[in-house]
Amino acid sequence: MDRGGGPASPRRSQPAGRPHASHVLRLMTPPRCSSSCYESRTGRTQLQASDLLQLSKMLRVTTASLCTYCQRMRLFLPPSASTSTLTSPNKRLENQLTVDSLYELSVDVRKVRKFKAWILSENEVYVSETADLLRDMGADTPIIARILETHPEAVLCRPEEVAAQRDLWETVCPNKRELMSIIEKFPASFFTLTHQSNQRANILYLQSLRLNKRIIGKLMASAPQSFSRPVEWNKEVIHTLRETYLDLGGDEGNLRLWLQKLLSQNPHILLRPAEAWRDSLGFLREQGFTTEELLSLVSSLRASIAELRPESMQQALTYIEGALACSKDELKQIAICCPAILYYSLPTLTGRLQGLMDSGVSLEQVKVSPNVLELTTQIVVYRIQKLASYGYDVRSGSLDVIVGTKKDFEMMHGKLQLRQQRPLFNPVAPLRSAED
């Protein structure tokens, strides 16, 4: 008998794993039952629905708990087990010993991995040896970490080569403290270990000129390329500078001080070819500048005169001469007073002069105070408005009050402010005697 009370149908043999069609039909067709049976089934269905609802809530809570647990467990993972150390098949695997050694030194490995990840994949590294050498020179752990973050290539240098570089740099640094300060600021210059023979030859040559040790150390830090090239090239540039200084009326006794001033103001001066100096000075001679005026220009332009091209200087002088309607002699005085016009580009000069005109400044005022062209239009407008708030009209006065550095302007601005706040003298008010 089946559940509906009908006669039982004979069973037929069916292969295992393949249900009979009638069996599938019975599973899909709801069975017939009485009202009491239907009510009991309805109650069980409602009970199953409530159980499913409760079960779904439990699953959501469990899922949230698992997510929180996973996030917390990430905090307890060692740095070497970070997912960021996993590399794709196209990338080289990282040297785990290098990563762990950098972590021990408090180096931000993520920064190294972001900018110079290839270093972490090298096999021949000297992390602890480099740190020990820096520590012997007086560096503490934070300084070592900053140096290796800024220039991680340092860990690829052999310890014996770094020690030789240290001994070489100590010949131009007064003490280890100053050497460590230079390494912290210019780590790439110190750990450039190529052409050490050229470095040693250039140091000996500059020392033979009786240049200050600090100047030589600054040159090595700021322009290491000058020491990596053959010493003959630097000798040619120094010889040209010496000839230039003496031809312009300089004194032999002041040559060393003049060279030190040029080299300290522009450490890259030795990288400029000697022909650049000759071409720039030859062009200025053709413009009618005297020897004394050329010496003044060279001193004012510092080492930038070697970076100037005759074509760009000609364009700048021609524009200033036409815009300010000045004579040749007036043009020379403007160039001596404001040498910056020689290396400013033509669009820069045009924009600044137009900005002055828009602010109400006259061409005659610019001709009298050409240094105003050294300031950007934004600075000029700000200073004019600042002075106008204290009752000073630049348009009817001199432009000398707005030229100069920020410190110069603040001093002038302070004087005008004090003048405005000072009370006026009343000639009618009675004078107080000493007894009062």
Side-chain angles (χ1 to χ4, degrees), residues 217-344:
K218 184 178 180 180
L219 285 174
M220 293 180 64
S222 304
Q225 305 90 339
S226 303
F227 290 78
S228 299
R229 63 184 194 165
V231 66
E232 290 77 16
W233 296 7
N234 290 333
K235 285 183 178 180
E236 183 181 2
V237 176
I238 295 294
H239 179 70
T240 302
L241 294 176
R242 180 178 180 275
E243 286 184 344
T244 300
Y245 179 73
L246 296 178
D247 290 345
L248 297 178
D251 187 9
E252 181 73 31
N254 297 327
L255 175 61
R256 182 177 66 89
L257 297 177
W258 186 73
L259 281 176
Q260 288 188 163
K261 185 177 181 180
L262 284 182
L263 294 174
S264 62
Q265 291 170 344
N266 189 350
H268 300 277
I269 184 175
L270 295 178
L271 298 177
R272 300 295 301 171
E275 292 77 11
W277 281 88
R278 301 189 185 99
D279 294 342
S280 300
L281 291 175
F283 170 78
L284 293 175
R285 287 183 186 275
E286 295 175 357
Q287 303 303 312
F289 289 95
T290 63
T291 303
E292 293 78 13
E293 292 171 347
L294 284 176
L295 183 60
S296 176
L297 280 176
V298 172
S299 301
S300 300
L301 289 171
R302 302 170 183 178
S304 301
I305 191 171
E307 302 175 2
L308 300 178
R309 296 182 303 168
E311 298 81 8
S312 61
M313 288 191 290
Q314 182 63 63
Q315 291 179 356
L317 291 175
T318 302
Y319 172 75
I320 292 296
E321 183 181 5
L324 300 182
C326 55
S327 61
K328 291 292 185 181
D329 293 337
E330 291 175 338
L331 181 62
K332 289 188 344 182
Q333 294 302 318
I334 291 174
I336 294 173
C337 183
C338 181
I341 65 173
L342 294 176
Y343 58 80
Y344 281 154

Side-chain angles (χ1 to χ4, degrees), residues 19-35:
H20 195 272
S22 60
H23 180 63
V24 176
L25 183 61
R26 284 201 304 270
L27 291 177
M28 296 178 61
T29 305
R32 301 175 183 177
C33 60
S34 60
S35 60

